Amino acid sequence: MDSIRNKIKQSKSLVGPFPAFDLDVVPEYPHDLFLEWFDVALHHDVHEPHAMTLSTIDYSGSPDARILILKDVDEDGWYFASSCESKKGKQLEANNHVALTFYWSLIGRQVRIRGKVEKMDIETNKKDFLHRGVVARAVSFIGKQSSVLHEQNDFNHALAKQLHYVQENSTSVYPAWTVYRVVAGEVEFWQADEERKHRRLLYRLVEGQWHREKLWP
Ligand SMILES: Cc1cc2nc3c(=O)[nH]c(=O)nc-3n(C[C@H](O)[C@H](O)[C@H](O)COP(=O)(O)O)c2cc1C
């Protein structure tokens, strides 16, 4: 029987062809290049291109990470939403330094963003929350995200109760729902090459100005 080691070894990675990336012809600002790359990902039908890893630091200084959905991008930053009472919400309250990582395997592209989060205002949170589906809103109203679930039935009962509440109160907003903006200090664009001659471009914010540097692969 094939060992797991062999199965892993036989798994292919970075199989092209990949789109071109000319490091000398790029926009001045990283969010503009991100939007260009996002369009390329959409064009190639990359699965869930808006799924990203959010890395945080816990109270003891240890890293933590999970996948979240990107909600928006503009010249001010990258946006996501969650409960500020979740594990990540508490970590962000204590330490607002984060990293976001995107990987679009079909086009061999990785984007790494390092920065700090800011909480958005109540109106933004409300608008985002009310755009979510009924079940997603009901799950939020249960609260308790990341705390221990002893019995599956506890969740089923809580969900039934909150579904009823959401249906009766369609404009009600879960108060802990929070939209966060990641204000970037560094954004790196990584383009895979089938022959492993990968190309990397780092944008760094220095005294309010974005600087670009090519990196060794
Ligand atoms: C594809 C995908 C998208 C997700 N999107 C979100 C999201 O937008 N917001 C969220 O709070 N959790 C989202 N989750 C769940 C998180 O990964 C995580 O399990 C949850 O937020 C609890 O994280 P925490 O314990 O670090 O607070 C998503 C998970 C996956 C796999």
Side-chain angles (χ1 to χ4, degrees):
M1 214 173 61
D2 232 357
S3 69
I4 184 61
R5 194 180 144 81
N6 273 336
K7 287 182 191 168
I8 292 170
K9 215 170 149 189
Q10 281 157 21
S11 300
K12 301 232 180 316
S13 60
L14 306 179
V15 181
F18 297 126
F21 177 34
D22 185 344
L23 278 69
D24 294 313
V25 186
V26 290
E28 195 177 340
Y29 301 109
H31 68 275
D32 285 329
L33 184 54
F34 181 87
L35 294 175
E36 279 182 19
W37 276 34
F38 200 84
D39 273 341
V40 174
L42 290 175
H43 180 76
H44 283 81
D45 289 328
V46 167
H47 186 62
E48 297 188 349
H50 56 345
M52 59 187 187
T53 301
L54 166 74
S55 302
T56 49
I57 306 291
D58 76 7
Y59 67 92
S60 67
S62 298
D64 201 351
R66 78 291 288 150
I67 312 274
L68 296 185
I69 291 294
L70 174 72
K71 294 278 179 141
D72 200 4
V73 183
D74 62 20
E75 63 274 22
D76 297 320
W78 281 255
Y79 298 79
F80 64 88
S82 192
S83 162
C84 67
E85 289 173 355
S86 64
K87 194 161 109 183
K88 78 184 86 51
K90 288 173 187 156
Q91 291 169 351
L92 293 171
E93 204 61 51
N95 186 336
N96 69 347
H97 289 79
V98 296
L100 299 176
T101 314
F102 293 83
Y103 176 47
W104 301 320
S105 62
L106 208 60
I107 53 173
R109 288 183 169 183
Q110 172 183 242
V111 182
R112 298 167 62 184
I113 298 162
R114 300 178 75 207
K116 292 181 187 176
V117 291
E118 297 175 348
K119 283 181 173 176
M120 302 304 289
D121 57 72
I122 288 172
E123 271 312 302
T124 307
N125 299 342
K126 187 174 159 186
K127 203 167 150 209
D128 184 80
F129 187 78
L130 294 176
H131 262 100
R132 305 180 75 223
V134 172
V135 180
R137 277 182 283 149
V139 171
S140 294
F141 271 110
I142 298 173
K144 300 187 179 177
Q145 190 181 49
S146 313
S147 54
V148 176
L149 172 66
H150 296 287
E151 292 283 344
Q152 184 59 35
N153 254 344
D154 296 347
F155 172 77
N156 298 343
H157 286 134
L159 180 60
K161 191 174 155 200
Q162 295 307 331
L163 270 174
H164 181 72
Y165 175 79
V166 167
Q167 274 148 4
E168 297 290 305
N169 302 274
S170 59
T171 57
S172 208
V173 176
Y174 175 57
W177 192 252
T178 307
V179 178
Y180 295 89
R181 170 166 61 208
V182 177
V183 180
E186 283 185 11
V187 185
E188 187 205 317
F189 295 85
W190 185 96
Q191 173 65 67
D193 175 81
E194 282 177 278
E195 294 173 337
R196 296 333 192 228
K197 294 182 279 183
H198 313 310
R199 275 153 295 151
R200 301 175 65 185
L201 182 68
L202 176 67
Y203 284 77
R204 256 183 336 114
L205 193 62
V206 183
E207 290 166 9
Q209 299 286 321
W210 283 104
H211 291 249
R212 294 192 299 271
E213 290 158 332
K214 295 169 190 168
L215 301 179
W216 286 68

